[in-house]
Amino acid sequence: MKIVYPTIGCIILALTVSANAATSLSDDFWLLGNFTQNVPCKGDGTDPAEAKVEISPQQIESKIGVCTFLDTKEDSKSVKLHVECQFPAGPLMGEITFTQKPNNTIDFIDRDKTYNATLYRCPK
C-alpha cells in the first residue's frame, strides 16, 4: 500500500502539469513587449499603473490580472488567443484577438465584443 499512494500522486501531478501546460508565442513574435492601453506610452516611469500591460510568450499581465495562453492561432497581422485569466473575482476563460495596425498600435477585442482597447508600444 505504501508504494501505491506515491505512484498515484505522481500520476495525478503529471496529469495536472500536462493539462495546465500553456501554449506560447515565439520569442520574436510582434505582439510581445510592454504597452499601455488606450493612452500613448511615454516609457519614462510616469505612465499610469492601471494602463500598463506586459505581454510575454506565455501570458499577459496587467493591473487587473494575469491571462495564460491555452491556445494560439497566428496570422501575419493578427493573433487569436484562448486564455485562462486569474482575476480577483476568480478565474475566467475566454478568447481575445490582437490585430496589428499600420500606425504601430495594436487593437484588442474579446470574443463577445464587450471590451476593446488600443495598445501603444512602450519605448525600450
Side-chain angles (χ1 to χ4, degrees):
M1 274 311 229
K2 291 181 182 179
I3 296 176
V4 173
Y5 289 114
T7 303
I8 291 172
C10 288
I11 291 170
I12 290 171
L13 177 61
L15 291 173
T16 302
V17 168
S18 65
N20 289 332
T23 300
S24 65
L25 298 170
S26 61
D27 288 336
D28 60 346
F29 195 68
W30 57 262
L31 180 62
L32 305 181
N34 293 309
F35 303 87
T36 52
Q37 58 178 325
N38 298 326
V39 294
C41 185
K42 298 175 203 155
D44 61 3
T46 62
D47 293 303
E50 60 273 359
K52 292 180 182 180
V53 176
E54 181 180 348
I55 303 176
S56 74
Q58 300 84 21
Q59 67 186 19
I60 302 167
E61 291 185 55
S62 70
K63 184 168 177 143
I64 61 168
V66 176
C67 295
T68 303
F69 305 152
L70 301 176
D71 185 36
T72 63
K73 292 181 184 161
E74 299 176 25
D75 188 326
S76 63
K77 297 289 183 188
S78 68
V79 61
K80 185 180 286 189
L81 303 167
H82 183 104
V83 295
E84 179 177 24
C85 301
Q86 299 298 323
F87 296 126
L92 176 70
M93 293 180 81
E95 283 187 11
I96 54 178
T97 301
F98 292 93
T99 304
Q100 195 175 28
K101 302 310 242 182
N103 64 356
N104 203 30
T105 62
I106 298 172
D107 283 347
F108 161 87
I109 191 160
D110 69 344
R111 181 188 63 199
D112 299 326
K113 297 178 175 53
T114 56
Y115 184 78
N116 60 35
T118 299
L119 298 182
Y120 294 85
R121 187 172 299 277
C122 294
K124 293 183 180 188

